[in-house]
Amino acid sequence: MTATVADAPAAPAPSTVIPPKKFGPSIALGVIALLSLVIFGIGTPSGASTTFVVARGTDFVHLPAYTAPSRLAAVLLSLVGLGLAGWAAYRANQHRKVGIWLPVVYGMAIMGALLTWAGAGRDATSIQITGLLTSSLFLAVPLVFGALAGTLCERSGIINIAIEGQLLAGAFLAALVASMVGNAYVGLIAAPVAGALVGLLLAIFATKYWVNQIVVGVVLNMLVVGLTSFFFSTVMTENGDLNQALGMAKLPIPLLSSIPILGPVLFNQNLLVYILYVTVAVLQVMLFKSRWGLRVRAVGEHPKAADTVGINVNRTRVRNTVLGGAIAGLGGAFFTVASGLAFGKEMTSGKGYIALAAMILGRWSPRGALAAALLFGFADALRAQLGAIGSPIPSQFLAMFPYIATIFAVAGLVGHARPPAAEGIPYKK
């Protein structure tokens, strides 16, 4: 009897490969929350209290200070963190992502437990929430400008390790020109010029001579450190009038600056911070909603295809690198004229490298770079706040806090972030 097609055995169904569950982040969140419960919750003296001040006298609505029982508050906040870690693990088990709200709420809970523990039993001091947030934004300014510079360069295919040098060059020229003219705002105009010159050097070596871009960036950083240190030790030191501490006054926006909490944080800043708002918004729209942005991203992803449709790849890269350098130089003005400080040797203190981390954490977008830079700015402001209230945390650890936060953020939160495909690869016709 001959077999028919109907009698043939059915083909086995293709096996479905289930991706491994990513419990790593949720486990890390759970461990941190558990440590918070033990150290900040159980470790807080019983009967102690912590006072939080959230408003200022000039606000429309006066919000009274709030005093909370330290141990109870720290325990509850730590338990909230544990619960969120459990929710993240549940979502990972379901192969579903968690919303952006979870890390935000989790961070607020753990930071709240830390601040509650640090301020426990300190009747003479209080936790200034508005001051902490204001400092976070202000300290994030150079990081945002640096991260925006890196985003512009790397979106077009140029690795910009020279952000540190561009920030330092901007700080130096801003202080020098402002001191010569006697006006901090003129120094603010001069700062982007210094950053653009460093960016131009990077662009020339990367596009014309095809030198390794990481090596060029490191060399440019060393060059700027050497030049600024030399001129500081000679020109500025011998003539103090060329290194004056000139600052820019705050420009409160009427009505908006009187809103509780948000007003002093967002609308009572100096000109550089307002320029920051505009720069982030414009670059976000231009990069992802305009023809120019499409061309830039095409050059960074597939330069050969971009060249085929008539886009000059190397010219686009040069322009973006110079523009990115100018933006980083503008951020360098934060260290001198925007902060009312005279120039000092290597005063950027590695902020350019933290800006690179903010760029990666922000996944090469202006909006993401802003959020990541605010995270690092908050870590820096938290260090200052804890030192001011006399926290039991050793001062050496507090000094390391912003850099530790950078390492953990990049290692644990970036995930599988993919840079532009042609990043760091010279285009040769």
Side-chain angles (χ1 to χ4, degrees), residues 13-382:
S15 59
T16 303
V17 179
I18 301 177
K21 303 179 180 66
K22 299 179 180 179
F23 289 111
S26 57
I27 291 175
L29 294 179
V31 170
I32 294 174
L34 187 60
L35 291 175
S36 172
L37 178 62
V38 174
I39 299 174
F40 305 143
I42 301 175
T44 301
S46 59
S49 60
T50 305
T51 301
F52 295 90
V53 177
V54 296
R56 296 183 176 183
T58 57
D59 294 345
F60 278 142
V61 180
H62 178 69
L63 301 176
Y66 177 72
T67 301
S70 303
R71 173 176 285 184
L72 177 62
V75 168
L76 290 178
L77 290 170
S78 300
L79 290 176
V80 169
L82 276 174
L84 292 174
W87 175 252
Y90 170 76
R91 299 286 287 185
N93 185 61
Q94 300 293 320
H95 305 291
R96 301 174 69 182
K97 295 182 179 180
V98 297
I100 189 62
W101 64 270
L102 190 143
V104 172
V105 176
Y106 177 88
M108 293 174 61
I110 300 301
M111 287 299 105
L114 169 61
L115 291 172
T116 302
W117 168 78
R122 304 181 189 280
D123 298 331
T125 59
S126 57
I127 306 298
Q128 302 290 329
I129 300 298
T130 301
L132 178 62
L133 296 178
T134 302
S135 299
S136 300
L137 174 60
F138 190 62
L139 292 173
V141 167
L143 305 181
V144 178
F145 279 114
L148 292 177
T151 299
L152 270 180
C153 295
E154 299 203 6
R155 278 290 181 179
S156 64
I158 300 293
I159 299 176
N160 189 0
I161 301 294
I163 296 175
E164 177 76 7
Q166 292 163 350
L167 289 174
L168 187 60
F172 172 80
L173 193 60
L176 179 63
V177 173
S179 299
M180 293 173 62
V181 180
N183 191 312
Y185 293 96
V186 178
L188 184 65
I189 297 173
V193 177
L197 290 175
V198 180
L200 180 60
L201 288 175
L202 173 63
I204 291 173
F205 282 106
T207 60
K208 185 175 182 180
Y209 299 106
W210 305 336
V211 181
N212 185 288
Q213 296 167 14
I214 296 177
V215 174
V216 173
V218 173
V219 170
L220 287 176
N221 287 337
M222 297 174 63
L223 175 65
V224 173
V225 169
L227 288 176
T228 54
S229 298
F230 171 75
F231 287 118
F232 172 79
S233 301
T234 54
V235 178
M236 286 184 167
T237 302
E238 294 175 2
N239 190 347
D241 292 338
L242 296 179
N243 191 20
Q244 302 178 45
L246 300 175
M248 298 186 298
K250 289 187 176 182
L251 303 174
I253 298 178
L255 300 180
L256 294 178
S257 60
S258 299
I259 300 174
I261 303 178
L262 292 180
V265 175
L266 299 177
F267 307 114
N268 188 20
Q269 299 284 355
N270 62 34
L271 180 61
L272 184 60
V273 179
Y274 296 135
I275 293 175
L276 173 68
Y277 299 159
V278 177
T279 305
V280 172
V282 169
L283 287 181
Q284 181 68 32
V285 173
M286 291 297 292
L287 269 177
F288 298 102
K289 301 292 184 180
S290 72
R291 179 187 299 179
W292 172 82
L294 180 61
R295 289 170 175 255
V296 169
R297 288 182 287 123
V299 167
E301 292 290 343
H302 203 309
K304 185 65 177 178
D307 191 12
T308 302
V309 297
I311 300 174
N312 191 316
V313 173
N314 285 329
R315 185 171 62 188
T316 301
R317 289 182 170 181
V318 169
R319 288 177 175 176
N320 268 47
T321 306
V322 173
L323 177 59
I327 291 175
L330 183 61
F334 161 85
F335 298 97
T336 50
V337 294
S339 300
L341 300 174
F343 179 80
K345 287 185 178 181
E346 302 181 46
M347 66 186 310
T348 50
S349 302
K351 292 295 190 296
Y353 300 106
I354 298 181
L356 276 174
M359 175 199 68
I360 298 171
L361 185 59
R363 298 178 185 271
W364 294 270
S365 76
R367 183 174 57 189
L370 172 64
L374 288 175
L375 172 64
F376 299 139
F378 178 80
D380 206 1
L382 182 62

